[in-house]
Amino acid sequence: MNEVKSSPPEDPVKCTSYNTDCTVTNSIGIFPDRTICQAGEVKYPTTEEDLISIVAIATKNNRKMKATTRYSHSVPKLACPDGKDGLLISTNNLNKVLKIDADARTITVESGVTLRQIINEAAGAGLALPYTPYWWGITIGGLMATGAHGSTLWGKGSAVHEYVTEIRIVSPAGAEDRYAKVRLLTESHGDDDQHLNAARVSLGVLGVISQVTLKLEPMFKRSVTYLTKDDKDLGEELISFGREHEFADVTWYPSQKKAVYRVDDRVPVETSGDGLYNFIPFRPTLEAELFVVRSAEEAQEKIGDANGKCLGAKLITAILAGLGYGLTDNTGVFLGYPTVGFSNRMQSSGTCLDSKKGGLIKTACPWDPRIKGEFYHQTAFSVPLTVVKDFIKDVQSLVELEPHALCGLEINNGILMRYVTASSAYLGKTEEAVDFDITYYRSKDPMKPRLYEDIIEEIEQIGLFKYGGLPHWGKNRNVGFIGAINKYGNSDKFIEVKQEYDSRGLFSSEWTDQVLGIKKVGLSIVKEGCALEGLCICSKDSHCAPNKGYFCRPGRIYNQARVCTNRQDQSKDEL
């Protein structure tokens, strides 16, 4: 076992010399194409003035730039500038809460402030940011770049960027503006809204966000109960459940044919309870435990032990259910439902960021790349409410054909389903939808196929292409972004603002140009074995692993899908 001592996550930027000759990666230590991005230098501004100076000098020198964040939780290559000479601008030290206005119910923060800080600082003033992602180790700048969200169909929806009232962003400029410009974007309900709606979800291509002001609410309490039900009527119940409960979500275990409904609603502040939600998979985990779990799954993959995965999934889900999924009272013990607590204690977690720095007991976040722990793919897309019932039915049909196929997802906490609404952001969600978040095994060997690979690939293609699902900008393999920009009716308006803010594309990269459709080709990296990693959709056997018995074939129920399968019941003629 790796002898590296655990600690809070490392800075994703590493340099061989003092802040020069650098690399940047993500929280799992590798991008979807298995590259680690190179860059010439990193800068750590501590004030907006520093940031302006850094952007100005780089612009004057026509240097490519990218903002990076403290923990780099975006899976795709959003933080990677083109070429080895690019400049990384880390927001690590732009980490101050600047102002809380209790009367206006707003909080103004620098872009490197984490969600955890925002929640805690707001709570100290008796205020709450009502809808947030469940993982608090993301910065407000990174959160906005990717459109991160919680779960609700109520009000303005679950995306944090919908509660932004003001943004300060530093962008390149001409010599007349000394090569950098600070733009103040506010809600005006006029022409300026075009700029704000572009900046709400920016993919980091408009510049570096300096400051953000968020609208808050008076603090309130929430009551949470988890209900486990058979998934037979999941398609029908999913829509009504989201409308009935403000903070509802559903976790689906399709191979076990059950779903766990989170009944989560506001209750009066006077309601008894000081509960806490500390999600178990986000807690500090023993290195030895992570080693055993990963080693077991590798062994199961090697010998094709689907039954072993299913038994493991049932054990894990039983443990999570028995511990209330991380809900406790103020003594740290789960005493049953409902669990009532203030919103700031119930909405988000991530205590593995406080893992011990060594000693006899070594703990870490489960995905820490310095240890042998989780290594995974993430597929996340939102399916419109109007067709979500049909999508659920398709997945259930695949499970009927292969009952053990999705046990691997259940080892990784099943399929999390969160509710989203139509967004004002040009690259935000376009309508009410359910976001499906799927995490699953990834081999350390890119040429090694996965057990039941074809089923997960077919689900991915059904969601994205058959039902027109929108990808989560901060997750997904390359396949998730193929043709995605064409699903956004306001993408042309976003490109207009991008051209105005950064006409030379200094904050763009080959990757973002591909995703935004500016560069028409390249999202698919077509080579031997490319479909195994989601770098392409297979069109011939060599894109899979024919030497290991995996061939490119149509999907089981979605004939337009092309998946890597080891089934022998289809011939090449069917392609």
Side-chain angles (χ1 to χ4, degrees):
M1 183 167 55
N2 197 328
E3 291 299 321
V4 174
K5 291 184 177 180
S6 302
S7 67
E10 290 183 310
D11 191 321
V13 178
K14 296 181 178 64
C15 304
T16 59
S17 183
Y18 180 72
N19 289 349
T20 61
D21 190 15
C22 305
T23 61
V24 62
T25 184
N26 56 24
S27 60
I28 59 174
I30 201 162
F31 289 120
D33 61 0
R34 293 191 182 253
T35 61
I36 295 176
C37 178
Q38 294 182 296
E41 188 179 7
V42 62
K43 296 285 189 180
Y44 293 90
T46 59
T47 64
E48 185 176 86
E49 290 71 25
D50 286 348
L51 181 57
I52 294 167
S53 175
I54 290 166
V55 172
I57 293 170
T59 302
K60 186 176 182 179
N61 293 325
N62 205 37
R63 191 178 194 185
K64 287 279 191 172
M65 295 169 270
K66 279 293 180 184
T68 67
T69 59
R70 179 174 300 277
Y71 301 120
S72 195
H73 271 278
S74 291
V75 173
K77 299 174 73 172
L78 295 175
C80 184
D82 286 336
K84 297 181 180 180
D85 298 323
L87 174 66
L88 302 173
I89 303 174
S90 173
T91 60
N92 278 18
N93 297 329
L94 292 173
N95 57 4
K96 294 177 285 295
V97 175
L98 300 174
K99 181 182 179 182
I100 298 180
D101 188 329
D103 294 329
R105 295 174 183 167
T106 60
I107 184 170
T108 300
V109 300
E110 293 180 320
S111 63
V113 167
T114 63
L115 178 58
R116 181 185 196 175
Q117 288 175 269
I118 293 171
I119 291 170
N120 290 341
E121 292 285 340
L127 299 170
L129 180 62
Y131 311 106
T132 64
Y134 299 167
W135 166 251
W136 67 26
I138 47 180
T139 64
I140 186 64
L143 185 155
M144 289 184 58
T146 58
H149 57 85
S151 182
T152 195
L153 290 175
W154 294 30
K156 289 185 176 182
S158 59
V160 174
H161 59 256
E162 292 302 314
Y163 303 89
V164 170
T165 61
E166 187 172 286
I167 302 172
R168 291 175 66 87
I169 187 169
V170 181
S171 302
E176 67 279 8
D177 290 311
R178 298 184 179 180
Y179 299 102
K181 180 181 288 188
V182 181
R183 302 174 189 268
L184 175 62
L185 312 178
T186 61
E187 286 187 318
S188 63
H189 306 291
D191 292 339
D192 287 344
D193 279 354
Q194 179 176 355
H195 291 196
L196 184 62
N197 290 339
R200 287 187 193 275
V201 181
S202 68
L203 307 189
V205 300
L206 303 182
V208 183
I209 292 175
S210 171
Q211 297 174 19
V212 175
T213 299
L214 293 154
K215 185 69 175 178
L216 306 176
E217 296 182 9
M219 180 55 70
F220 57 92
K221 279 188 171 182
R222 289 160 65 163
S223 172
V224 179
T225 296
Y226 284 101
L227 294 176
T228 301
K229 300 175 65 176
D230 186 284
D231 74 351
K232 182 176 65 173
D233 299 320
L234 176 61
E236 290 81 4
E237 294 183 350
L238 198 54
I239 298 173
S240 59
F241 183 69
R243 299 205 186 282
E244 290 168 3
H245 302 286
E246 183 175 2
F247 304 99
D249 71 34
V250 182
T251 301
W252 187 17
Y253 302 106
S255 285
Q256 298 180 50
K257 296 188 176 182
K258 67 181 182 181
V260 179
Y261 293 76
R262 177 169 169 144
V263 180
D264 189 346
D265 292 294
R266 296 185 191 224
V267 293
V269 174
E270 299 78 24
T271 306
S272 176
D274 190 23
L276 175 70
Y277 177 61
N278 184 9
F279 187 46
I280 293 169
F282 291 170
R283 294 180 185 180
T285 309
L286 288 171
E287 275 194 38
E289 180 182 337
L290 295 170
F291 178 88
V292 168
V293 171
R294 175 66 187 189
S295 297
E297 193 165 16
E298 286 177 340
Q300 290 160 352
E301 286 281 332
K302 185 175 182 178
I303 63 175
D305 182 12
N307 285 330
K309 285 202 174 193
C310 292
L311 289 172
K314 289 178 180 178
L315 176 61
I316 288 171
T317 53
I319 291 171
L320 288 174
L323 296 174
Y325 302 93
L327 289 170
T328 66
D329 69 359
N330 58 4
T331 67
V333 178
F334 173 60
L335 297 177
Y337 301 119
T339 299
V340 176
F342 287 101
S343 182
N344 63 299
R345 289 170 55 84
M346 303 290 281
Q347 66 190 111
S348 189
S349 60
T351 52
C352 70
L353 294 176
D354 305 322
S355 292
K356 298 178 183 296
K357 293 187 177 181
L360 295 176
I361 299 177
K362 301 176 184 179
T363 59
C365 291
W367 50 85
D368 192 317
R370 295 169 294 176
I371 63 175
K372 184 172 182 177
E374 293 181 357
F375 188 61
Y376 50 78
H377 288 297
Q378 275 192 313
T379 292
F381 50 78
S382 54
V383 175
L385 281 186
T386 52
V387 294
V388 75
K389 178 180 175 181
D390 298 320
F391 174 73
I392 293 285
K393 193 176 298 182
D394 282 353
V395 176
Q396 290 173 328
S397 296
L398 286 169
V399 172
E400 289 300 320
L401 292 172
E402 292 288 0
H404 296 135
L406 300 183
C407 292
L409 307 185
E410 298 171 9
I411 291 174
N412 291 282
N413 309 314
I415 300 175
L416 175 62
M417 298 182 287
R418 294 177 292 166
Y419 296 96
V420 295
T421 60
S423 172
S424 60
Y426 293 150
L427 297 185
K429 303 300 183 182
T430 57
E431 58 187 305
E432 290 184 325
V434 174
D435 185 87
F436 291 82
D437 204 323
I438 307 170
T439 302
Y440 49 101
Y441 178 89
R442 186 182 189 187
S443 174
K444 291 290 185 177
D445 179 356
M447 299 302 292
K448 194 170 185 178
R450 290 172 280 107
L451 190 58
Y452 290 116
E453 172 155 339
D454 56 327
I455 302 297
I456 298 179
E457 287 179 359
E458 187 167 353
I459 291 170
E460 182 178 46
Q461 293 177 44
I462 288 171
L464 290 167
F465 306 126
K466 181 178 179 180
Y467 295 111
L470 298 179
H472 189 305
W473 294 117
K475 300 180 182 179
N476 287 297
R477 313 181 313 162
N478 287 33
V479 166
F481 302 105
I482 295 174
I485 196 63
N486 301 321
K487 302 172 187 177
Y488 295 83
N490 288 315
S491 61
D492 57 336
K493 295 180 181 178
F494 180 85
I495 299 298
E496 283 179 20
V497 175
K498 176 186 177 300
Q499 183 63 20
E500 179 181 343
Y501 279 38
D502 184 17
S503 60
R504 284 185 276 172
L506 297 180
F507 278 92
S508 295
S509 65
E510 182 179 50
W511 168 253
T512 58
D513 282 350
Q514 290 165 352
V515 169
L516 292 170
I518 296 168
K519 186 174 181 179
K520 300 301 181 184
V521 295
L523 266 177
S524 293
I525 302 174
V526 180
K527 60 180 182 179
E528 185 177 339
C530 57
L532 302 176
E533 291 275 277
L535 299 178
C536 74
I537 296 173
C538 71
S539 57
K540 53 186 181 180
D541 290 341
S542 63
H543 297 156
C544 298
N547 60 327
K548 296 181 174 67
Y550 279 72
F551 303 92
C552 184
R553 297 289 182 267
R556 301 279 191 105
I557 63 170
Y558 178 44
N559 194 60
Q560 290 94 316
R562 292 295 178 269
V563 299
C564 294
T565 181
N566 63 350
R567 289 181 292 124
Q568 303 302 315
D569 58 349
Q570 289 183 310
S571 68
K572 291 183 181 180
D573 293 339
E574 293 184 59
L575 291 173

Short mmCIF file of all heavy atoms in Angstrom, two decimals, residues 58-89:
data_model
loop_
_atom_site.label_atom_id
_atom_site.label_comp_id
_atom_site.label_asym_id
_atom_site.label_seq_id
_atom_site.Cartn_x
_atom_site.Cartn_y
_atom_site.Cartn_z
N ALA A 58 -0.05 39.70 -18.97
CA ALA A 58 -0.23 38.56 -19.86
C ALA A 58 -0.89 38.97 -21.17
O ALA A 58 -0.51 38.49 -22.25
CB ALA A 58 -1.06 37.48 -19.16
N THR A 59 -1.87 39.86 -21.10
CA THR A 59 -2.54 40.33 -22.32
C THR A 59 -1.56 41.08 -23.21
O THR A 59 -1.53 40.88 -24.44
CB THR A 59 -3.72 41.23 -21.95
OG1 THR A 59 -4.63 40.50 -21.13
CG2 THR A 59 -4.44 41.72 -23.20
N LYS A 60 -0.77 41.95 -22.62
CA LYS A 60 0.21 42.71 -23.38
C LYS A 60 1.19 41.78 -24.11
O LYS A 60 1.62 42.05 -25.24
CB LYS A 60 0.98 43.66 -22.45
CG LYS A 60 1.93 44.61 -23.17
CD LYS A 60 2.56 45.58 -22.19
CE LYS A 60 3.48 46.56 -22.93
NZ LYS A 60 4.11 47.53 -21.97
N ASN A 61 1.49 40.65 -23.47
CA ASN A 61 2.41 39.67 -24.05
C ASN A 61 1.71 38.59 -24.87
O ASN A 61 2.33 37.62 -25.28
CB ASN A 61 3.24 39.01 -22.94
CG ASN A 61 4.18 40.00 -22.28
OD1 ASN A 61 4.72 40.89 -22.93
ND2 ASN A 61 4.36 39.84 -20.97
N ASN A 62 0.38 38.79 -25.07
CA ASN A 62 -0.42 37.85 -25.86
C ASN A 62 -0.29 36.42 -25.34
O ASN A 62 -0.17 35.45 -26.09
CB ASN A 62 -0.01 37.90 -27.33
CG ASN A 62 -1.13 37.47 -28.25
OD1 ASN A 62 -2.30 37.76 -28.01
ND2 ASN A 62 -0.79 36.73 -29.30
N ARG A 63 -0.37 36.29 -24.02
CA ARG A 63 -0.14 35.01 -23.36
C ARG A 63 -1.47 34.35 -22.99
O ARG A 63 -2.36 35.00 -22.44
CB ARG A 63 0.70 35.22 -22.11
CG ARG A 63 1.23 33.96 -21.47
CD ARG A 63 2.10 34.28 -20.27
NE ARG A 63 2.88 33.14 -19.83
CZ ARG A 63 3.65 33.12 -18.76
NH1 ARG A 63 3.76 34.22 -18.00
NH2 ARG A 63 4.33 32.03 -18.43
N LYS A 64 -1.58 33.07 -23.25
CA LYS A 64 -2.77 32.32 -22.86
C LYS A 64 -2.87 32.22 -21.34
O LYS A 64 -1.86 32.05 -20.65
CB LYS A 64 -2.73 30.92 -23.46
CG LYS A 64 -2.98 30.88 -24.96
CD LYS A 64 -4.46 30.96 -25.26
CE LYS A 64 -4.74 30.65 -26.72
NZ LYS A 64 -6.19 30.54 -26.98
N MET A 65 -4.10 32.29 -20.82
CA MET A 65 -4.33 32.26 -19.37
C MET A 65 -5.50 31.35 -19.03
O MET A 65 -6.41 31.17 -19.83
CB MET A 65 -4.67 33.67 -18.85
CG MET A 65 -3.60 34.70 -18.96
SD MET A 65 -4.24 36.38 -18.61
CE MET A 65 -4.74 36.90 -20.24
N LYS A 66 -5.48 30.82 -17.80
CA LYS A 66 -6.62 30.08 -17.25
C LYS A 66 -6.66 30.29 -15.75
O LYS A 66 -5.62 30.25 -15.07
CB LYS A 66 -6.50 28.58 -17.54
CG LYS A 66 -6.95 28.18 -18.94
CD LYS A 66 -8.44 28.39 -19.12
CE LYS A 66 -8.90 27.98 -20.51
NZ LYS A 66 -10.33 28.28 -20.70
N ALA A 67 -7.87 30.48 -15.22
CA ALA A 67 -8.04 30.52 -13.77
C ALA A 67 -8.07 29.09 -13.23
O ALA A 67 -8.63 28.19 -13.86
CB ALA A 67 -9.33 31.24 -13.41
N THR A 68 -7.47 28.88 -12.08
CA THR A 68 -7.53 27.59 -11.40
C THR A 68 -8.05 27.81 -9.98
O THR A 68 -7.92 28.90 -9.43
CB THR A 68 -6.15 26.90 -11.34
OG1 THR A 68 -5.29 27.64 -10.47
CG2 THR A 68 -5.52 26.81 -12.71
N THR A 69 -8.60 26.74 -9.40
CA THR A 69 -9.22 26.86 -8.09
C THR A 69 -8.51 26.00 -7.05
O THR A 69 -7.64 25.21 -7.38
CB THR A 69 -10.70 26.47 -8.16
OG1 THR A 69 -10.80 25.12 -8.62
CG2 THR A 69 -11.46 27.39 -9.11
N ARG A 70 -8.91 26.15 -5.81
CA ARG A 70 -8.22 25.52 -4.70
C ARG A 70 -8.16 24.01 -4.80
O ARG A 70 -7.12 23.39 -4.55
CB ARG A 70 -8.91 25.92 -3.39
CG ARG A 70 -8.30 25.29 -2.13
CD ARG A 70 -8.95 25.85 -0.89
NE ARG A 70 -8.77 27.29 -0.80
CZ ARG A 70 -7.69 27.89 -0.32
NH1 ARG A 70 -6.68 27.16 0.12
NH2 ARG A 70 -7.61 29.20 -0.28
N TYR A 71 -9.28 23.37 -5.15
CA TYR A 71 -9.32 21.91 -5.17
C TYR A 71 -9.54 21.33 -6.56
O TYR A 71 -9.47 20.11 -6.73
CB TYR A 71 -10.42 21.40 -4.24
CG TYR A 71 -10.25 21.85 -2.80
CD1 TYR A 71 -11.24 22.62 -2.17
CD2 TYR A 71 -9.11 21.52 -2.07
CE1 TYR A 71 -11.09 23.03 -0.85
CE2 TYR A 71 -8.96 21.93 -0.76
CZ TYR A 71 -9.95 22.68 -0.15
OH TYR A 71 -9.80 23.09 1.15
N SER A 72 -9.86 22.15 -7.54
CA SER A 72 -9.98 21.73 -8.95
C SER A 72 -10.93 20.55 -9.11
O SER A 72 -10.54 19.48 -9.57
CB SER A 72 -8.59 21.38 -9.51
OG SER A 72 -8.62 21.29 -10.91
N HIS A 73 -12.20 20.75 -8.76
CA HIS A 73 -13.16 19.65 -8.82
C HIS A 73 -13.87 19.51 -10.16
O HIS A 73 -14.75 18.66 -10.30
CB HIS A 73 -14.18 19.77 -7.69
CG HIS A 73 -13.72 19.06 -6.46
ND1 HIS A 73 -13.86 17.70 -6.28
CD2 HIS A 73 -13.07 19.51 -5.36
CE1 HIS A 73 -13.33 17.35 -5.13
NE2 HIS A 73 -12.84 18.42 -4.55
N SER A 74 -13.51 20.29 -11.15
CA SER A 74 -14.06 20.09 -12.48
C SER A 74 -13.29 18.97 -13.17
O SER A 74 -12.06 19.01 -13.25
CB SER A 74 -13.96 21.37 -13.31
OG SER A 74 -14.84 22.35 -12.81
N VAL A 75 -14.02 17.99 -13.69
CA VAL A 75 -13.38 16.85 -14.33
C VAL A 75 -12.76 17.22 -15.68
O VAL A 75 -11.62 16.86 -15.95
CB VAL A 75 -14.39 15.69 -14.48
CG1 VAL A 75 -13.80 14.56 -15.29
CG2 VAL A 75 -14.83 15.20 -13.10
N PRO A 76 -13.47 17.94 -16.58
CA PRO A 76 -12.88 18.27 -17.89
C PRO A 76 -11.74 19.28 -17.79
O PRO A 76 -11.44 19.81 -16.72
CB PRO A 76 -14.07 18.86 -18.67
CG PRO A 76 -15.28 18.47 -17.91
CD PRO A 76 -14.86 18.39 -16.48
N LYS A 77 -11.15 19.60 -18.96
CA LYS A 77 -9.93 20.39 -19.00
C LYS A 77 -10.19 21.89 -19.02
O LYS A 77 -9.58 22.64 -19.79
CB LYS A 77 -9.11 19.98 -20.22
CG LYS A 77 -8.69 18.52 -20.20
CD LYS A 77 -8.01 18.09 -21.48
CE LYS A 77 -6.61 18.66 -21.60
NZ LYS A 77 -5.88 18.08 -22.76
N LEU A 78 -11.07 22.37 -18.15
CA LEU A 78 -11.41 23.79 -18.14
C LEU A 78 -10.26 24.65 -17.61
O LEU A 78 -10.19 25.84 -17.90
CB LEU A 78 -12.67 24.02 -17.30
CG LEU A 78 -13.95 23.39 -17.86
CD1 LEU A 78 -15.09 23.58 -16.89
CD2 LEU A 78 -14.29 24.01 -19.21
N ALA A 79 -9.38 24.08 -16.82
CA ALA A 79 -8.29 24.84 -16.22
C ALA A 79 -6.99 24.77 -17.02
O ALA A 79 -5.95 25.24 -16.56
CB ALA A 79 -8.03 24.35 -14.79
N CYS A 80 -7.06 24.21 -18.20
CA CYS A 80 -5.84 23.95 -18.98
C CYS A 80 -5.66 24.97 -20.10
O CYS A 80 -6.45 25.00 -21.04
CB CYS A 80 -5.91 22.55 -19.57
SG CYS A 80 -4.43 22.04 -20.45
N PRO A 81 -4.63 25.83 -20.04
CA PRO A 81 -4.35 26.74 -21.15
C PRO A 81 -3.64 26.00 -22.28
O PRO A 81 -3.06 24.94 -22.06
CB PRO A 81 -3.45 27.80 -20.52
CG PRO A 81 -2.73 27.07 -19.43
CD PRO A 81 -3.70 26.02 -18.92
N ASP A 82 -3.69 26.56 -23.46
CA ASP A 82 -2.99 25.94 -24.59
C ASP A 82 -1.48 26.13 -24.45
O ASP A 82 -1.00 27.20 -24.08
CB ASP A 82 -3.44 26.57 -25.91
CG ASP A 82 -4.83 26.11 -26.32
OD1 ASP A 82 -5.25 25.03 -25.89
OD2 ASP A 82 -5.50 26.85 -27.08
N GLY A 83 -0.74 25.10 -24.77
CA GLY A 83 0.71 25.21 -24.84
C GLY A 83 1.40 25.16 -23.50
O GLY A 83 0.78 25.33 -22.45
N LYS A 84 2.71 24.96 -23.56
CA LYS A 84 3.50 24.83 -22.34
C LYS A 84 3.84 26.17 -21.71
O LYS A 84 4.37 26.22 -20.59
CB LYS A 84 4.79 24.07 -22.63
CG LYS A 84 4.58 22.63 -23.09
CD LYS A 84 5.89 21.93 -23.35
CE LYS A 84 5.67 20.49 -23.80
NZ LYS A 84 6.95 19.79 -24.07
N ASP A 85 3.57 27.27 -22.40
CA ASP A 85 3.94 28.60 -21.89
C ASP A 85 2.77 29.34 -21.25
O ASP A 85 2.90 30.50 -20.87
CB ASP A 85 4.52 29.45 -23.03
CG ASP A 85 5.79 28.84 -23.61
OD1 ASP A 85 6.57 28.28 -22.82
OD2 ASP A 85 5.96 28.90 -24.84
N GLY A 86 1.62 28.69 -21.16
CA GLY A 86 0.44 29.35 -20.63
C GLY A 86 0.60 29.76 -19.16
O GLY A 86 1.45 29.25 -18.43
N LEU A 87 -0.26 30.69 -18.75
CA LEU A 87 -0.23 31.23 -17.39
C LEU A 87 -1.45 30.72 -16.62
O LEU A 87 -2.58 30.82 -17.08
CB LEU A 87 -0.27 32.76 -17.43
CG LEU A 87 -0.38 33.47 -16.08
CD1 LEU A 87 0.87 33.24 -15.23
CD2 LEU A 87 -0.64 34.96 -16.27
N LEU A 88 -1.19 30.17 -15.44
CA LEU A 88 -2.26 29.77 -14.52
C LEU A 88 -2.45 30.87 -13.49
O LEU A 88 -1.47 31.34 -12.90
CB LEU A 88 -1.91 28.46 -13.83
CG LEU A 88 -1.64 27.26 -14.74
CD1 LEU A 88 -1.14 26.07 -13.92
CD2 LEU A 88 -2.89 26.87 -15.52
N ILE A 89 -3.69 31.29 -13.29
CA ILE A 89 -4.00 32.30 -12.27
C ILE A 89 -4.83 31.62 -11.20
O ILE A 89 -6.02 31.33 -11.38
CB ILE A 89 -4.77 33.49 -12.88
CG1 ILE A 89 -3.97 34.11 -14.03
CG2 ILE A 89 -5.07 34.53 -11.80
CD1 ILE A 89 -4.71 35.19 -14.79
#
